[in-house]
Amino acid sequence: MTTDVAMDQPGEGRLVNAPSDHPPIPRAKVGVVLANLGTPDNTDYWSMRRYLNEFLSDKRVVDYANWKWQPLLQLIILTKRPFSSGEAYKSIWNTEKDESPLLTITRAQTEKMTERLKALYGDDVEVDFCMRYGNPSTESVLTRMKEKGCERIVFFPLYPQYGSPTTATANDQAFRTLMKMKWQPYIRTVPAYYEHPAYTQALANSVQEAYDSLDGRPSKLVASYHGVPERYLLEGDPYHCQCQKTTRLLREKLGFSKEEVDTAFQSQFGPEKWVGPQTVNHVAELAKQGHKHIAVLSPAFSSDCVETLEEIQEEIHDSFMEAGGETFTYIPCLNDRDDHIEALTQVVNNELRGWLG
């Protein structure tokens, strides 16, 4: 580590040769911050409106000109959508902890990551998590990390595939926080890990375990990813291509044929053309083709959230069943599975090289 500190007490000290009135500083550490998408604080109208306003005002998410988008957002969308989104969140809300499942799961992932990294590096590492939208905010967590002595920080957006509306905006927010700091920590951002062998293995394990628990084998496995406008692909965003490769690597790891596994995209909104096929329509078409039992998983989500717990298990499920399907199996996200945490730990350890150990 870089700072030369004489320790007064555990975790705190003064700079060597500094005057006696120099303020105490924490012992230098390395921080690891897991960054997820975000969550409203509650399901009521104003909590949902604050969250949706922050999310839908992000230029990485909706990149239309403000003069065109903001009047529509503020006067129409945010007067109606907080009610429907609030109902969706109510249907999945963790009532015991009074928080969204995404927050519950991300905290659990962080706790397990802390255990693994502490076992490797002891007190030299500090682990925490933040949200791009909502709380705990990126700024509050990075500021707290710096105050704890983290002179170097690995910032880890929990998105296996790189996307400008996900990975890039998480990094943007971290950089905005650094712009406000007098003493910036050194920072490394974690690249996409969609082709990391341990991630692929964890996905394959989750699918195989789900299949082993079923009475009959699904005739189709659908890998459903969050959609993006087709324009993003044409402008150079690699997300669509990385999703396709994720599906291929998963299929090969499982030993499934090409006919057994499909790629589809969900959560489309707005008038422009999005990458496809749309999951909600694709599963209905599968049912009409005679597929009576399908399984769906979400490789782009590191944690179950409203898009998986509500959209897939309700809207997409209903679309399949109403079109003639009989059995719909949802395979949960990797969440805090041990093999998932092992994969994330391997990714982090690669970024810690030269900083720890």
Side-chain angles (χ1 to χ4, degrees), residues 20-275:
S20 59
D21 60 350
H22 192 285
I25 64 170
R27 184 172 64 84
K29 303 177 185 177
V30 172
V32 175
V33 177
L34 307 182
N36 218 325
L37 180 72
T39 173
D41 294 326
N42 214 312
T43 61
D44 62 277
Y45 174 83
W46 289 109
S47 295
M48 291 305 310
R49 182 175 177 120
R50 283 192 301 273
Y51 173 72
L52 290 171
N53 183 48
E54 185 180 11
F55 175 53
L56 296 175
S57 292
D58 185 350
K59 285 292 188 180
R60 291 285 195 178
V61 175
V62 182
D63 59 359
Y64 302 147
N66 281 340
W67 66 267
K68 181 187 298 184
W69 175 243
Q70 282 298 322
L72 177 63
L73 176 63
Q74 301 299 329
L75 300 177
I76 299 177
I77 296 174
L78 291 181
T79 60
K80 299 178 179 180
R81 189 161 175 177
F83 291 108
S84 60
S85 294
E87 289 302 313
Y89 270 95
K90 283 180 184 177
S91 70
I92 65 166
W93 201 250
N94 182 342
T95 54
E96 181 181 347
K97 295 188 175 182
D98 193 23
E99 62 187 27
S100 74
L102 179 69
L103 181 56
T104 304
I105 294 166
T106 307
R107 183 185 296 108
Q109 291 170 330
T110 303
E111 290 171 352
K112 287 192 172 183
M113 177 71 76
T114 299
E115 291 175 3
R116 288 177 181 255
L117 293 181
K118 291 286 187 185
L120 291 171
Y121 305 113
D123 293 333
D124 287 337
V125 66
E126 188 81 28
V127 186
D128 209 337
F129 72 94
C130 69
M131 299 294 177
R132 169 60 183 90
Y133 314 104
N135 296 305
S137 70
T138 303
E139 181 174 350
S140 68
V141 172
L142 288 180
T143 300
R144 183 166 65 247
M145 282 286 208
K146 184 64 176 65
E147 292 171 348
K148 287 184 175 181
C150 296
E151 296 182 358
R152 304 167 188 260
I153 294 176
V154 173
F155 189 77
F156 191 174
L158 291 176
Y159 309 109
Q161 302 80 20
Y162 175 95
S164 57
T166 51
T167 311
T169 190
N171 290 337
D172 288 348
Q173 196 71 355
F175 300 147
R176 290 189 192 100
T177 298
L178 296 186
M179 291 172 66
K180 300 177 183 179
M181 291 182 171
K182 287 289 189 293
W183 184 2
Q184 293 178 333
Y186 302 103
I187 192 164
R188 290 176 177 172
T189 59
V190 176
Y193 56 98
Y194 65 98
E195 56 186 349
H196 195 287
Y199 164 70
T200 304
Q201 185 64 62
L203 280 179
N205 291 345
S206 71
V207 173
Q208 195 60 62
E209 289 170 14
Y211 273 44
D212 289 346
S213 70
L214 299 172
D215 292 333
R217 181 184 176 88
S219 59
K220 186 74 77 170
L221 174 66
V222 178
S224 180
Y225 301 84
H226 197 291
V228 293
E230 189 177 87
R231 171 172 54 87
Y232 284 33
L233 169 63
L234 300 178
E235 291 174 350
D237 190 308
Y239 176 75
H240 178 265
C241 298
Q242 292 183 2
C243 291
Q244 297 286 354
K245 187 169 184 179
T246 300
T247 301
R248 177 176 66 79
L249 293 173
L250 171 61
R251 176 177 59 77
E252 291 173 352
K253 178 63 69 173
L254 288 166
F256 288 6
S257 69
K258 291 182 179 180
E259 291 71 30
E260 289 181 276
V261 186
D262 289 349
T263 297
F265 297 86
Q266 63 187 83
S267 307
Q268 178 175 327
F269 70 92
E272 65 180 304
K273 184 178 180 182
W274 283 46
V275 295

